[in-house]
Amino acid sequence: MLTQKQMRAWLQAFLPNATGLSPRERLRSGVGAAVALTIAGLSLHCFPGFSSRFPLLIAPMGASSVLLFAVPASPLAQPWSVIGGNVIAAIVGVTCGIAISNVPIAGAVAVSVAILAMFAARCVHPPAGAVALTAVFGGAGIHGMGYAFAIAPVAMQSTMLVSLAIVYHSLTGHRYPHRVVKVEATEPADASMTTGGGFTRKDLEAVLARRNELIDVDIDDLEVLLRETQLAACRRTFQNLTCADIMTTSPLTVLKESDCSVALKLLERHAIKALPVRDANHQIVGIVTRYDIQRASGTVTGPQSIGNALGWLLPGKDNTRSVGSVMTTRVCTAKGSDSILDLLPTFSTTGHHHIPVVDEGNHVIGMITESDLIAGLHAGTQLLQLEAA
């Protein structure tokens, strides 16, 4: 016999987890469904002959509206899923109703075949199962429509609901159809910098393949959520590690009025790739690399570089160039108090290899390279492991 506590725990297992939607979002979903169903039901009957031949709204459209307005990010709620799934199910339902005289068996077969067809067409839509049953059990009026049932009302009402959902979500500041920004890198820098190790897209696909079940979340959504969760955990782990803790202090700088040859000698002598450029007030105004200098002098191949080189050789031209004329003026900087994790997106997605650290007066106080960042994260991980031990 189960104890009262065990019985309560067993019954609680029937309850799903609470949704994270705010009351405002829930109200928005309900209002959207009401508006869309009202417009769809009334507008289609403005056409001559519709009110007498077709139902105002078939019941499965109510279920479709739940997905369209309550969970618009679901793969089951996307336009092709709604329209394609409902139409395919209607065709299958009408076919089974004609071919199988036993109504209960016809309904069961219709739903079964509709599911297989929707998987094949990549338009699985749960309310479509009710569309298939409606085609079989709908009575003489629907049976008399034959395959026209798949066009009107199913296709027309489905298309109307999808169109209204697109407009409504756009007006209320939501994305529909749902699209996710693809994660370009399969192994981004932040994926390997957490204490628990990173994951790749292939790892995620392999896990989903092993589960061998349909999960009502787009894989791109799932990957983005996992990466954001991983970064949040990483931020919590390294929240006390700042740019000032890992930067190289008193970095070399060069005046913007200095000759490029001076900057190039500093870069070569100290085996570094970039120099912050400052003005007379020691405020950062740019950054210069070997490539910037070589491109200006024409040692980098290409039409623009050849033009630069010819310009230097023209008579009467001043062949000296200042650092300020070749530097990159848009500089990505960091504050000493910033968390080192704020640098991860900059290093991993923008192609930066050096980030100057500045104070409140925009004076350069340090420089951080990719090696500095990795070393800082590694040291932080080791410290946490020692504390755990």
Side-chain angles (χ1 to χ4, degrees):
M1 285 292 293
L2 294 175
T3 65
Q4 185 177 1
K5 183 177 181 180
Q6 291 173 328
M7 178 63 73
R8 190 185 301 110
W10 182 73
L11 290 175
Q12 287 177 344
F14 284 74
L15 295 174
N17 292 328
T19 61
L21 289 180
S22 65
R24 179 180 178 182
E25 283 298 301
R26 298 177 190 182
L27 179 61
R28 188 192 67 84
S29 301
V31 171
V35 171
L37 288 171
T38 301
I39 295 175
L42 295 178
S43 62
L44 291 177
H45 285 73
C46 293
F47 297 96
F50 266 61
S51 58
S52 59
R53 295 180 55 197
F54 306 116
L56 184 67
L57 276 175
I58 59 173
M61 293 301 127
S64 293
S65 67
V66 173
L67 287 173
L68 282 168
F69 293 94
V71 283
S74 168
L76 309 179
Q78 301 315 298
W80 171 238
S81 298
V82 177
I83 299 172
N86 283 339
V87 171
I88 287 173
I91 294 172
V92 170
V94 172
T95 302
C96 291
I98 295 172
I100 303 173
S101 58
N102 187 297
V103 175
I105 293 177
V109 172
V111 174
S112 175
V113 175
I115 291 173
L116 297 176
M118 286 189 289
F119 270 121
R122 295 177 59 186
C123 58
V124 176
H125 184 60
V131 173
L133 285 180
T134 302
V136 175
F137 291 96
I142 290 179
H143 291 164
M145 295 170 61
Y147 286 104
F149 174 71
I151 304 301
V154 174
M156 295 185 69
Q157 291 181 3
S158 298
T159 303
M160 179 68 74
L161 282 178
V162 167
S163 301
L164 290 168
I166 292 173
V167 173
Y168 185 78
H169 285 301
S170 177
L171 292 176
T172 55
H174 289 69
R175 289 182 302 162
Y176 183 82
H178 184 69
R179 289 291 180 270
V180 181
V181 179
K182 298 281 186 179
V183 181
E184 298 295 337
T186 56
E187 294 182 296
D190 57 286
S192 60
M193 292 181 181
T194 61
T195 56
F199 71 92
T200 67
R201 175 65 172 246
K202 291 182 179 179
D203 294 332
L204 183 56
E205 291 173 347
V207 171
L208 293 175
R210 283 199 299 270
R211 291 180 67 92
N212 195 28
E213 60 181 315
L214 179 62
I215 298 178
D216 190 14
V217 180
D218 187 275
I219 186 171
D220 294 319
D221 277 323
L222 186 58
E223 183 177 12
V224 170
L225 286 172
L226 289 175
R227 293 211 184 281
E228 289 181 355
T229 302
Q230 195 173 42
L231 185 57
C234 191
R235 288 182 184 279
R236 174 174 46 80
T237 302
F238 295 99
Q239 60 184 345
N240 295 325
L241 199 57
T242 66
C243 293
D245 296 325
I246 65 170
M247 69 182 184
T248 299
T249 58
S250 302
L252 291 171
T253 60
V254 64
L255 278 167
K256 67 176 182 178
E257 293 83 8
S258 299
D259 187 81
C260 284
S261 61
V262 175
L264 188 60
K265 287 179 181 178
L266 285 173
L267 290 168
E268 292 176 347
R269 183 185 308 160
H270 297 276
I272 54 179
K273 297 180 180 179
L275 280 172
V277 182
R278 59 180 175 83
D279 58 16
N281 297 321
H282 295 274
Q283 293 181 322
I284 187 169
V285 293
I287 194 166
V288 66
T289 65
R290 296 187 191 188
Y291 180 79
D292 294 329
I293 299 173
Q294 291 170 350
R295 180 179 57 185
S297 65
T299 56
V300 177
T301 58
Q304 183 178 1
S305 299
I306 293 173
N308 289 336
L310 292 175
W312 277 30
L313 297 175
L314 289 175
K317 293 287 183 180
D318 183 5
N319 291 340
T320 63
R321 288 206 173 191
S322 67
V323 172
S325 66
V326 302
M327 69 182 182
T328 300
T329 55
R330 297 181 64 179
V331 189
C332 180
T333 62
K335 301 290 186 183
S337 58
D338 291 346
S339 168
I340 63 171
L341 295 178
D342 294 332
L343 305 180
L344 289 177
T346 304
F347 277 120
S348 63
T349 61
T350 63
H352 284 74
H353 303 286
H354 302 74
I355 298 180
V357 182
V358 298
D359 60 15
E360 297 300 329
N362 208 32
H363 304 120
V364 181
I365 58 173
M367 179 74 85
I368 295 177
T369 65
E370 291 173 309
S371 299
D372 295 328
L373 180 62
I374 293 173
L377 290 171
H378 179 66
T381 303
Q382 288 186 320
L383 180 60
L384 287 172
Q385 290 174 345
L386 288 174
E387 290 176 351

